[in-house]
Amino acid sequence: MNTKNIMIVGVGGQGSLLASRILGAAAMNAGYDVKVSEVHGMSQRGGSVVTYVRYGESVASPVICEGEADVILSFEKLEAARWLPYLKIGGTIVTNVQQINPMPVIIGAASYPDEIVEKIKALCVDIIAEDAQAMAKEAGSEKAANVALIGLASHVLGFDRNVLRAAVEACVPAKAKEVNLRAFDKAQEKIG
Amino acid sequence: MKKIMLGNEAVARGLYEAGVHFISSYPGTPSTEITEFAAKYDEMYAEWAPNEKVAFEAAYGAAIGGGRAFCAMKHVGLNVAADPLFVSGYTGINGGFVIGVADDPGMHSSQNEQDSRHYAIAAKLPMVEPCDSRECKEFAAMAYEYSEKFDTPFILRLTTRVSHSSAPVELCERKNVPVRDYEKNIAKNVMMPANAKKRHVVVEEHLRQLTEFAYDCPFNKIEKNDTTLGIITAGNCYNYAKEVFGEGASYLKLGLVNPLSEKLIREFCRGLEQIIVIEELDSVIEDFVRKLGYDVVGKNVLPNIGEFSQDLLRKYLLGEEADSSMIADEIPPRPPVLCPGCPHRGTFYTLKKLGVTVYGDIGCYTLGAVAPLGAMDTTLCMGASISALHGFNKVRGEEGKSVAVIGDSTFMHSGMTGLVNIVYNGGFSTVLILDNSITGMTGHQENPLTGKTLKGDAAPYISLEDICAALGVAREHIRVVDPADMKLLETTIKEELESDVPSVIICRRPCALLKGVERKPALSVDTDKCRGCKSCMKIGCPAISMIETEKGKKAVVDPAMCVGCGLCESMCAFDAFVK
Ligand SMILES: Cc1ncc(C[n+]2csc(CCOP(=O)(O)OP(=O)(O)O)c2C)c(N)n1
Ligand code: SF4
Ligand code: SF4
């Protein structure tokens, strides 16, 4: 099998590390070689963060480059647009519709592009845009938005549903397990 | 058993399996997690030292004492520890000694992009470089065996991508390695000229032996494929090269990056028509190969700035560009910012308001340089704020219009000597110590002032006020202020700027992200009172934005982000912020 490339993009502090660990665990449990590359440090203070998950028979590089991502999981709309060039032609973006203004927008030095999802769609890119926060809230906690996003993408991530669900179960803190599994199931049902 | 491990976690596992006894480090991205993970093993002693030189020397002492010892630091940390590094090869060790140093190509979290391999060459020490988590564990563990065999410290070089990437690692048991006997040996361990002259000869002999070892050591690997293209590489660059060239090239993957073996390289190059040397940052391997007379492709084509990737290799070596799409809009950047409720925010707003020159330092508070605060003039390296301000004021006489700002961890790292210099040499600069009770920037590590050790045990209380007093600052000019009280902070700074003796203002309030720091309910804006004056926007809190409403421009607070610190409230002249 060719290496599958999944990018997780968002804003520092949104929980993308946990999402990448879930996907990493799923890949290993499904018997694949896997590499996950994270960013720590400066970029975490509310900056743009990106995490790479690559799995397959044998994975060499830990990073994903322009035009290589099969799936981009995005926690925030602007970040989906920022990393769009990394999507492979024919790949899928699954994005949360949340808007978090970066500091240059807040102080009026730049503006937040409007209708990002529509503009991406217009490029004939396969994009799923949902309110992951709302789904997570419905499941019991907004904090499970990252897991809801994984649920929304479950059909394009290349894993068996049970493998993915088991990885969620294994990676989230024990006390948040039920909420997260509910968020995962709800999101997955939505996508069918 | 297999486990997915971060490169840094795998290094810690390697230390554990090698039976390491003693670890002393100072945090620094991307090296920090090695020591944090190592601290989770009860069998190993692990501590945070106040700086890298102390960490290095503590680990060196443990190794001389017969234990297997380790210290970790980021690339610039090795500058701080360079003094003992250069001599440690002369005395050699007793128990194995490995120094972990993590470079940051691409400067994800650093002030420069130096290549630590130059240190190995200059200090004449062996250096190994793993390419992934599996090798992180193996190389770290193996380095102890050879450190003891060659009686020399080994440097383990990492880069951000290796440190912060995860991959499956096979776990083994811990080796039970007893602490070796210690015998006093003045000729070997006391480096004064007469002894050092003899030991330099030993260093050269070790280097000769290690060069022989480099020919067939277990760190290096040749992968022969049916082709006349050969790639010489090391570390993560090997992975990028494999991604691009696959079996279309033969590989000499160097795990021991110093010293290099002429014999091995000549053997690899025999029969090849083209040789490419792929290495991030400087042309260290390439220079060596060129000296042997080979015409290679290297830095004549590839950059010596920034991080590599498969994409970069495709572009520079094959002229291929990726296919991708993009929307037409300009995408605003998303730089890191001080957190909502950050104690540093009030300090920098006040400094900006006062219009003083700010000699800055390294930590979360370096973000005080970012708009809209923009209240910093210089940042060089850890500790430089205080010492550099002294020089600035001696030539300009601007003691009344300038301050240094330095964090608590940074002050303990290398700020104290700068303060002594001001006192000793009759300076009267004003120093602000931003005491947020933690080493924030690197992900919240304890330090000598936080009252806790790396392992979470209680540590003796060390008083910052007493340290400053002991360094010669008069008690009445050591002021302690809560930076959330911006009015008091402003008058205090003004008073101390006017004084003609050295002064220290300790801005004390814990980091907003610390456990136990109270998160108050979010504020909201009364839109009838808000006049859209944007005063509150001057503090740069990411939780506040201005939006267009039917009643005109109004401030709004994002309740998910706001921690209720109240700073915006004190900016507003119309009492528009409500609890
Ligand atoms: C020589 C050196 N070692 C380590 C680092 C990494 N580093 C950057 S800032 C910092 C400490 C910050 O702590 P503190 O001074 O308490 O400020 P805070 O981030 O908490 O505001 C460290 C360890 C560095 N830049 N240089
Ligand atoms: S981590 Fe703490 S010190 Fe650093 S920016 Fe956030 S609140 Fe401020
Ligand atoms: S109270 Fe004001 S300044 Fe403090 S976090 Fe909330 S919005 Fe930001």
Side-chain angles (χ1 to χ4, degrees):
Chain A
M1 147 191 176
N2 284 340
T3 301
K4 184 110 176 163
N5 297 325
I6 304 163
M7 266 170 89
I8 304 169
V9 304
V11 178
Q14 277 191 309
S16 56
L17 281 191
L18 177 66
S20 69
R21 279 182 198 153
I22 292 171
L23 298 184
M28 194 173 89
N29 294 339
Y32 295 113
D33 185 22
V34 59
K35 281 192 176 155
V36 179
S37 187
E38 312 171 345
V39 241
H40 299 221
M42 195 66 151
S43 43
Q44 279 187 309
R45 301 270 165 277
S48 170
V49 292
V50 51
T51 306
Y52 309 108
V53 181
R54 308 190 72 214
Y55 72 90
E57 247 146 66
S58 165
V59 180
S61 169
V63 304
I64 296 171
C65 299
E66 282 202 8
E68 289 185 347
D70 295 284
V71 181
I72 295 180
L73 282 185
S74 169
F75 287 74
E76 200 270 357
K77 280 186 301 188
L78 179 63
E79 297 309 308
R82 185 188 314 285
W83 298 99
L84 179 61
Y86 281 67
L87 194 70
K88 193 183 268 179
I89 303 298
T92 306
I93 298 190
V94 179
T95 186
N96 187 6
V97 293
Q98 194 182 9
Q99 168 168 347
I100 301 176
N101 289 335
M103 195 49 70
V105 171
I106 291 179
I107 62 172
S111 54
Y112 197 99
D114 56 359
E115 308 197 321
I116 289 176
V117 172
E118 291 68 24
K119 284 175 185 160
I120 294 177
K121 254 187 204 146
L123 297 168
C124 295
V125 170
D126 182 24
I127 179 166
I128 298 168
E130 292 284 346
D131 189 342
Q133 247 84 22
M135 284 183 179
K137 207 170 183 177
E138 226 179 287
S141 163
E142 275 197 33
K143 283 195 187 140
N146 47 5
V147 169
L149 208 61
I150 291 179
L152 283 170
S154 51
H155 62 300
V156 286
L157 294 173
F159 299 115
D160 182 81
R161 174 184 192 275
N162 295 329
V163 170
L164 205 52
R165 200 172 186 277
V168 170
E169 202 169 350
C171 294
V172 300
K175 61 178 194 289
K177 200 179 282 183
E178 274 182 32
V179 174
N180 277 289
L181 288 177
R182 257 202 311 275
F184 177 81
D185 291 341
K186 267 189 194 308
Q188 215 206 9
E189 272 163 33
K190 179 137 197 167
I191 221 69
Chain B
M1 194 185 91
K2 263 195 180 170
K3 189 176 172 213
I4 296 192
M5 283 186 161
L6 206 59
N8 282 347
E9 184 181 2
V11 171
R13 181 71 197 187
L15 304 180
Y16 169 78
E17 291 179 7
V20 166
H21 306 99
F22 180 95
I23 298 158
S24 184
S25 303
Y26 182 72
T29 316
S31 70
T32 312
E33 302 83 6
I34 302 174
T35 307
E36 290 178 325
F37 278 111
K40 293 186 179 164
Y41 295 101
D42 290 339
E43 294 88 340
M44 297 193 281
Y45 172 86
E47 65 178 24
W48 289 129
N51 68 34
E52 292 86 353
K53 182 173 186 287
V54 174
F56 184 106
E57 290 157 350
Y60 170 81
I64 293 292
R68 285 194 162 184
F70 180 79
C71 63
M73 59 201 66
K74 68 183 288 163
H75 61 318
V76 286
L78 197 55
N79 300 337
V80 177
D83 200 3
L85 176 84
F86 276 74
V87 191
S88 61
Y90 277 52
T91 66
I93 41 110
N94 179 16
F97 181 22
V98 176
I99 302 122
V101 56
D103 287 5
D104 189 16
M107 291 180 276
H108 296 272
S109 309
S110 303
Q111 68 266 40
N112 77 351
E113 206 174 24
Q114 75 193 37
D115 188 329
S116 295
R117 294 176 300 172
H118 296 297
Y119 271 110
I121 296 167
K124 302 182 186 248
L125 292 176
M127 176 182 260
V128 292
E129 181 175 2
C131 77
D132 60 15
S133 297
R134 187 179 55 78
E135 284 191 354
C136 279
K137 193 201 88 165
E138 282 173 9
F139 284 18
M142 270 199 299
Y144 281 92
E145 208 179 298
Y146 295 108
S147 169
E148 285 168 5
K149 180 167 177 217
F150 292 101
D151 187 24
T152 180
F154 260 64
I155 306 174
L156 175 74
R157 183 206 188 208
L158 302 156
T159 53
T160 302
R161 283 297 166 196
V162 173
S163 282
H164 288 165
S165 294
S166 312
V169 175
E170 189 69 51
L171 306 187
C172 309
E173 297 287 307
R174 177 172 165 93
K175 248 195 229 147
N176 187 14
V177 183
V179 173
R180 296 178 165 202
D181 292 338
Y182 167 73
E183 272 170 45
K184 183 168 172 177
N185 186 341
I186 292 177
K188 183 170 186 281
N189 291 330
V190 180
M191 281 309 96
M192 52 188 181
N195 294 339
K197 279 178 192 166
K198 295 189 189 113
R199 292 302 300 178
H200 187 183
V201 178
V202 177
V203 170
E204 297 300 335
E205 172 55 19
H206 282 163
L207 207 56
R208 194 194 58 74
Q209 290 169 4
L210 281 157
T211 307
E212 250 170 46
F213 168 70
Y215 171 66
D216 57 0
C217 75
F219 296 105
N220 296 333
K221 181 171 91 174
I222 286 184
E223 246 176 80
K224 270 281 175 204
N225 285 311
D226 189 17
T227 156
T228 54
L229 170 65
I231 292 176
I232 305 177
T233 185
N236 205 20
C237 289
Y238 164 75
N239 295 319
Y240 300 139
K242 280 289 277 198
E243 198 74 39
V244 174
F245 295 95
E247 299 195 344
S250 292
Y251 301 87
L252 171 56
K253 179 188 169 298
L254 296 166
L256 184 67
V257 291
N258 191 59
L260 297 175
S261 162
E262 173 177 345
K263 193 173 155 199
L264 177 69
I265 290 169
R266 286 202 187 281
E267 214 167 281
F268 175 72
C269 292
R270 200 167 299 141
L272 294 177
E273 274 168 24
Q274 193 186 23
I275 302 160
I276 310 177
V277 180
I278 303 177
E279 55 190 327
E280 275 170 335
L281 302 179
D282 297 335
S283 57
V284 175
I285 300 170
E286 179 182 339
D287 290 353
F288 185 89
V289 178
R290 278 189 191 279
K291 262 193 223 150
L292 300 182
Y294 295 100
D295 185 19
V296 302
V297 174
K299 297 293 175 186
N300 51 341
V301 178
L302 293 164
N304 62 356
I305 296 173
E307 196 178 29
F308 283 12
S309 65
Q310 59 266 33
D311 197 35
L312 179 139
L313 296 188
R314 276 191 208 111
K315 182 169 158 210
Y316 285 93
L317 296 172
L318 306 174
E320 292 174 10
E321 297 267 354
D323 234 359
S324 63
S325 34
M326 194 51 192
I327 63 172
D329 298 63
E330 180 114 10
I331 305 292
R334 191 186 294 278
V337 288
L338 295 171
C339 305
C342 176
H344 299 326
R345 183 169 282 111
T347 306
F348 284 100
Y349 176 71
T350 307
L351 291 173
K352 183 176 185 179
K353 191 173 163 199
L354 291 172
V356 290
T357 300
V358 179
Y359 264 66
D361 220 300
I362 305 196
C364 283
Y365 51 92
T366 312
L367 295 172
V370 177
L373 294 167
M376 198 169 281
D377 288 70
T378 70
T379 295
L380 181 69
C381 64
M382 286 187 77
S385 55
I386 303 180
S387 18
L389 175 68
H390 174 69
F392 180 82
N393 282 339
K394 282 284 179 188
V395 298
R396 301 191 65 85
E398 292 191 5
E399 285 84 354
K401 293 189 282 181
S402 64
V403 299
V405 293
I406 186 166
D408 51 333
S409 184
T410 305
F411 182 73
M412 294 309 284
H413 177 280
S414 48
M416 292 186 284
T417 40
L419 187 55
V420 154
N421 192 44
I422 291 177
V423 174
Y424 170 49
N425 288 305
F428 51 98
S429 298
T430 302
V431 173
L432 271 60
I433 303 178
L434 313 187
D435 182 8
N436 61 351
S437 309
I438 203 74
T439 314
M441 182 79 258
T442 41
H444 301 98
Q445 289 75 32
E446 305 297 340
N447 71 50
L449 296 173
T450 65
K452 261 200 189 152
T453 67
L454 165 62
K455 294 245 185 190
D457 299 325
Y461 170 68
I462 297 175
S463 156
L464 193 48
E465 292 88 318
D466 288 355
I467 292 175
C468 295
L471 294 177
V473 181
R475 284 277 178 189
E476 58 275 27
H477 292 283
I478 301 169
R479 315 279 297 269
V480 182
V481 189
D482 178 351
D485 187 346
M486 289 198 286
K487 276 206 188 87
L488 179 62
L489 179 63
E490 189 179 330
T491 49
T492 311
I493 296 175
K494 277 185 184 155
E495 282 165 22
E496 293 308 331
L497 283 175
E498 275 165 25
S499 81
D500 51 7
V501 291
S503 48
V504 170
I505 302 170
I506 299 171
C507 301
R508 183 167 285 151
R509 175 171 270 262
C511 160
L513 300 190
L514 287 191
K515 277 200 191 95
V517 169
E518 190 196 0
R519 215 190 134 117
K520 294 193 193 137
L523 301 191
S524 58
V525 176
D526 181 337
T527 45
D528 290 330
K529 287 185 179 167
C530 174
R531 303 205 191 163
C533 73
K534 295 190 184 171
S535 272
C536 56
M537 302 299 290
K538 291 184 193 156
I539 53 172
C541 174
I544 314 175
S545 339
M546 297 300 287
I547 53 159
E548 206 60 65
T549 69
E550 290 146 26
K551 300 184 224 162
K553 268 199 182 301
K554 302 284 174 187
V556 281
V557 172
D558 180 342
M561 280 203 236
C562 173
V563 298
C565 75
L567 207 65
C568 50
E569 206 179 352
S570 62
M571 296 295 295
C572 181
F574 311 106
D575 294 326
F577 287 89
V578 288
K579 292 205 172 85

